[in-house]
Amino acid sequence: MGAVPVRSLMRPFVCRTCAKALRRRRRTYATAATPTPELYDVVCVGGGPAGLSLLTALRASPITSSLKLALIESQDLSKTSTWSLPPNKYSNRASSLTPSSKAFLERIGAWPHLDHSRMQPYHRMQVWDGVSGARISFDWEQSPKISHTTVAYMTENANLLRALSTRLTSLPPITLFDKTSVSSISPGPAPTLDITAPDLSSWPHLTLSNSRTLAARLLIGADGLNSPVRTFAAIPSRGWDYNRHGVVATVKLAADFPSNVPRTAYQRFLPTGPVALLALPGPYATLVWSTLPSHATHLKSLSPPDFSAMINAAFRLSTVDIEYMHTIPSGQVDELDWRLRHTPSLVEGSQIPHAVVDVQTNSTASFPLRLRHADAYTASRVALVGDAAHTIHPLAGQGLNMGLGDVEALVGNIEDSVRYGGDIGAGMALEGYGAERYAVNNRLLGVVDKLHKLYSVGSGPLVGLRSLGLEAVDKVGAVKEFFMRQAAGS
């Protein structure tokens, strides 16, 4: 009898079939500690206008209505759907919606849910140089080649958010994680040897503050300037700060306006930054004043009468007079009255807004102004929209409209992928979105940045050249109509 192999003395023989079963069992036990993620077609981080409009559009489209959707938002969204203010109070966070944005909101069914009594269309714009007085006037009602008579619709951001939330809840439900933040985002685990398990290695995995774990076929960052989604995707964002702050407030004007009266938006370019007064319903308006940080601090410290006087001075006095009024701690009401009586008027009364008589309590606030633009809007299974992709100076009032344009384009790309049976998170499926939106947004960011720098100059030959150009554009109908179309988003 021959020698017995050592291996057979150490362990019994196991057939090949049983060995495979044992290996499968061992793999199961080894990975049991890893939580199984909840799988979603689309996970959107951020429940602002961009995030809510995107999910509403996906749910409202018959092509994408069956996708499994999730929204992650750190705020309590129940407050969004129940937001309300009395008719004589307005939020200081207001934005203009262009006709293009209106058309998109109509298509997804959100426009009828807006409270139109709190919205104000405006049909004219008066824009002028605060140093030279050169001016350009836009009147959409008097331009036969413009297909619409409204340049934009002013509304509070909260009114838009409530409308989007109401529309979204009327559609088949999504999975909502509000009052919840993202703790971490990481790539999926490497694929296992089990051929029956799905390969989620390319899917972003999100761990939430409530300990839930999600895996997204497509992760969308609608999470603002400091986007965690953009950070996960390793997409750089470039730009600069303007060393300016935007001061916003809700003000009351000396005149009331019936709802059928055409309204005008006013903007004056001062060397420290533009000041704009945009109509709200009745005697109310929203102020957006871009200025130096020290001036912003000073304006916020003033009493409502003195702050009202500063706003009136910004549209009526010379830049030297305005600068002096920034240096006195109080008494702007008397100072403005004296200067209006003893200094020559720079503009006609019909070309400036009605006087501000009051500032709504607790409506004054400020925020730093900056330009940012992501190097790309997409990465593998990731797309960025809104402020996560770009941040713009408010002088053109286009930030919200740019975000809605992003959403409309991205939804179109997702629809195409679903229609033709593609993978909505694949790089090829997302390329069209970046190609469509990046150049458009980059051009607008560049134009607004150059305008800010151009009008920050307070003296010298550049003032004369820019004034000559502004007056020339005002006289050339075709060029003027081009700028009008751009302002209206068409």
Side-chain angles (χ1 to χ4, degrees), residues 306-317:
D306 282 343
F307 188 22
S308 299
M310 282 299 301
I311 299 169
N312 292 328
F315 287 100
R316 291 163 173 81
L317 298 184

Side-chain angles (χ1 to χ4, degrees), residues 2 7 43 73 114 118 137 155 251 300 320 354 368 395 423 477:
R7 186 175 62 178
V43 174
E73 168 56 45
L114 283 157
R118 301 187 68 86
S137 302
T155 188
V251 302
K300 291 188 293 182
V320 175
H354 289 274
L395 70 85
D423 181 349

Side-chain angles (χ1 to χ4, degrees), residues 129 453-457 459-468:
D129 189 322
K453 293 173 179 175
L454 177 66
Y455 282 95
S456 295
V457 177
S459 61
L462 187 59
V463 174
L465 290 173
R466 77 189 182 202
S467 300
L468 184 64

Side-chain angles (χ1 to χ4, degrees), residues 198-463:
D199 180 4
L200 303 178
S201 58
S202 68
W203 290 34
H205 281 54
L206 299 91
T207 303
L208 309 185
S209 57
N210 60 7
S211 300
R212 302 273 286 272
T213 303
L214 316 182
R217 185 185 301 274
L218 173 60
L219 174 61
I220 296 175
D223 46 352
L225 173 68
N226 300 309
S227 167
V229 173
R230 188 182 67 235
T231 301
F232 159 74
I235 300 175
S237 180
R238 307 176 195 276
W240 44 82
D241 295 346
Y242 284 113
N243 190 33
R244 296 290 190 276
H245 279 207
V247 179
V248 294
T250 302
V251 302
K252 186 176 182 180
L253 305 177
D256 198 352
F257 298 88
S259 59
N260 60 343
V261 172
R263 302 292 297 276
T264 304
Y266 297 91
Q267 185 172 50
R268 186 186 187 193
F269 280 89
L270 303 172
T272 51
V275 55
L277 208 56
L278 306 167
L280 291 171
Y284 302 101
T286 187
L287 169 77
V288 184
W289 189 343
S290 303
T291 189
L292 298 173
S294 58
H295 288 179
T297 301
H298 177 241
L299 292 171
K300 291 188 293 182
S301 72
L302 298 175
S303 66
D306 282 343
F307 188 22
S308 299
M310 282 299 301
I311 299 169
N312 292 328
F315 287 100
R316 291 163 173 81
L317 298 184
S318 71
T319 56
V320 175
D321 291 331
I322 297 168
E323 193 62 32
Y324 172 76
M325 291 180 67
H326 274 298
T327 66
I328 57 177
S330 61
Q332 279 77 6
V333 172
D334 293 336
E335 189 67 31
L336 174 64
D337 179 66
W338 186 90
R339 289 178 184 272
L340 286 175
R341 286 186 287 108
H342 292 88
T343 58
S345 175
L346 298 178
V347 289
E348 298 179 13
S350 61
Q351 296 178 325
I352 56 177
H354 289 274
V356 173
V357 296
D358 195 15
V359 179
Q360 182 179 297
T361 304
N362 298 324
S363 72
T364 306
S366 67
F367 53 92
L369 304 183
R370 49 176 63 97
L371 178 147
R372 295 287 189 276
H373 201 195
D375 281 6
Y377 291 178
T378 63
S380 177
R381 301 200 177 281
V382 172
L384 306 176
V385 294
D387 287 351
H390 43 71
T391 304
I392 191 171
H393 192 293
L395 70 85
Q398 292 298 315
L400 175 60
N401 297 296
M402 290 169 70
L404 293 178
D406 294 344
V407 168
E408 185 173 15
L410 180 56
V411 169
N413 272 260
I414 296 173
E415 285 177 328
D416 287 343
S417 294
V418 173
R419 183 183 293 113
Y420 298 112
D423 181 349
I424 63 173
M428 291 290 290
L430 297 172
E431 278 184 357
Y433 163 60
E436 179 178 349
R437 291 301 299 170
Y438 193 92
V440 172
N441 290 335
N442 194 59
R443 181 170 61 248
L444 184 55
L445 286 163
V447 168
V448 170
D449 181 61
K450 302 302 184 294
L451 282 174
H452 163 75
K453 293 173 179 175
L454 177 66
Y455 282 95
S456 295
V457 177
S459 61
L462 187 59
V463 174

Side-chain angles (χ1 to χ4, degrees), residues 114-234:
L114 283 157
D115 183 350
H116 292 267
S117 69
R118 301 187 68 86
M119 298 177 64
Q120 180 60 58
Y122 57 94
H123 312 81
R124 303 171 183 141
M125 291 179 67
Q126 293 280 349
V127 181
W128 69 100
D129 189 322
V131 177
S132 69
R135 172 181 298 268
I136 186 169
S137 302
F138 300 108
D139 189 336
W140 271 254
E141 292 189 319
Q142 301 300 318
S143 299
K145 294 184 180 180
I146 305 294
S147 60
H148 46 78
T149 60
T150 301
V151 58
Y153 303 80
M154 285 303 301
T155 188
E156 298 146 292
N157 291 2
N159 188 18
L160 175 60
L161 288 171
R162 183 179 59 184
L164 289 167
S165 179
T166 302
R167 171 57 175 157
L168 186 56
T169 56
S170 72
L171 297 166
I174 67 168
T175 303
L176 173 63
F177 299 97
D178 66 342
K179 296 176 286 186
T180 305
S181 59
V182 177
S183 300
S184 66
I185 311 175
S186 60
T192 68
L193 298 176
D194 185 356
I195 61 174
T196 63
D199 180 4
L200 303 178
S201 58
S202 68
W203 290 34
H205 281 54
L206 299 91
T207 303
L208 309 185
S209 57
N210 60 7
S211 300
R212 302 273 286 272
T213 303
L214 316 182
R217 185 185 301 274
L218 173 60
L219 174 61
I220 296 175
D223 46 352
L225 173 68
N226 300 309
S227 167
V229 173
R230 188 182 67 235
T231 301
F232 159 74

Side-chain angles (χ1 to χ4, degrees), residues 9-42:
L9 295 174
M10 296 176 61
R11 65 182 183 186
F13 172 79
V14 180
C15 74
R16 186 174 299 175
T17 303
C18 294
K20 288 182 178 178
L22 285 171
R23 281 197 296 271
R24 282 197 295 269
R25 208 173 303 164
R26 282 200 296 271
R27 282 198 299 270
T28 301
Y29 291 132
T31 59
T34 303
T36 302
E38 304 170 40
L39 306 185
Y40 289 91
D41 292 306
V42 176

